[in-house]
Amino acid sequence: MKKTGSLAMLIVLPILFLCASAPSFKIARLKYNGGGDWYANRTALQNLVNFCNLNLSTNMDPEEGIADVGSATLFQYPFVYVTGHGNILFSAAEAENLRKYLIGGGFLHIDDNYGLDQYVRPQMKKVFPELSFVELPASHPIYHQKYDFQGGLPKVHEHDGKRAQGFALIYKGRIVCFYTYECDLGNGWEDYGTYEGDSEATRQKALKMGANLIQFALSQ
C-alpha cells in the first residue's frame, strides 16, 4: 500500500466513525491458511455491526467483508476480525502484507475461539518481530468507551476456566492489534440460542465490549 493510502486511511476513519451520514463502510473477517476454521462464529460480525449501528450511530454495512491476509482487499477495511480453533499460518508475503495494513492505520482483533493461542502468537511474531503482546490493565480506555467495564475484559465462555485477558500489540504508541484470550467475544456476538446455556445478559456484555472495540479502533 502506498504511503498516501496509509495516510488517507488514518484521516478518513475518524470521520467515518463520527459522521452517521457518511458513506457506509464494512468491517471484515480475515481469511487465512493453515487449516483453521477462519469462518467460525458465522453470525457474529453481522450482529455486532447491527448493535453498533443502533447504539453508536455508526453507519456500517451489515454484510461482512472477507479479507484474504495476503490480498490488497485487506486495505479496504478499517477493522478486521480473526478467529478460529486451530492452525493459522502466514507466509512471509502475507505477514508483510498484514504488517503494512496495520502500520497504515488498520486494526486487527484476534478472538481466540479456543485452541488458537498456540498458533496465532508465533504468526503475529512474523508480522511484528520487534513487538510482544502486552496485557492491557482494566483501566485502559479500550474498556471505557461508550460502555464501562470496570473489571476489564468480560468472560463469555469458560474454556479452561482461566480469567479473560486482553492483550495488545502497540506500534509507535498505537494499538494495532487487540487479542481477546479466554474470553470468546465472538461466541457472545452470535445469534441468541446458538450455544446452549448462554444467557442474554452475557451476550449483551459481549456486544457492548465489541462496540467498545469498534469505537476505540476507529477513533484512536
Side-chain angles (χ1 to χ4, degrees), residues 35-163:
D37 54 339
W38 59 269
Y39 45 81
N41 297 342
R42 294 180 185 275
T43 62
L45 288 187
Q46 182 179 27
N47 288 335
L48 177 61
V49 166
N50 289 338
F51 183 88
C52 289
N53 286 346
L54 180 64
N55 294 284
L56 298 183
S57 298
T58 48
N59 188 29
M60 293 185 283
D61 190 326
E63 181 181 353
E64 70 177 50
I66 303 296
D68 192 300
V69 67
S71 171
T73 59
L74 181 62
F75 296 87
Q76 298 174 8
Y77 307 105
F79 184 104
V80 175
Y81 170 77
V82 58
T83 192
H85 297 83
N87 194 30
I88 177 171
L89 181 64
F90 298 154
S91 69
E94 289 170 340
E96 179 62 22
N97 194 57
L98 183 55
R99 180 184 177 91
K100 288 179 179 178
Y101 164 75
L102 294 172
I103 288 176
F107 187 93
L108 181 69
H109 172 213
I110 302 173
D111 188 35
D112 176 29
N113 204 3
Y114 194 55
L116 192 65
D117 187 71
Q118 63 178 312
Y119 303 106
V120 76
R121 285 181 179 270
Q123 298 310 305
M124 291 306 298
K125 201 66 176 175
K126 292 181 182 179
V127 180
F128 287 104
E130 75 276 30
L131 302 181
S132 296
F133 280 108
V134 294
E135 184 174 2
L136 299 182
S139 60
H140 193 277
I142 206 166
Y143 301 120
H144 306 282
Q145 298 291 306
K146 179 177 177 65
Y147 301 103
D148 194 44
F149 289 88
Q150 289 292 330
L153 193 66
K155 184 80 170 177
V156 177
H157 277 183
E158 283 305 316
H159 290 177
D160 289 326
K162 300 175 182 177
R163 67 183 179 89

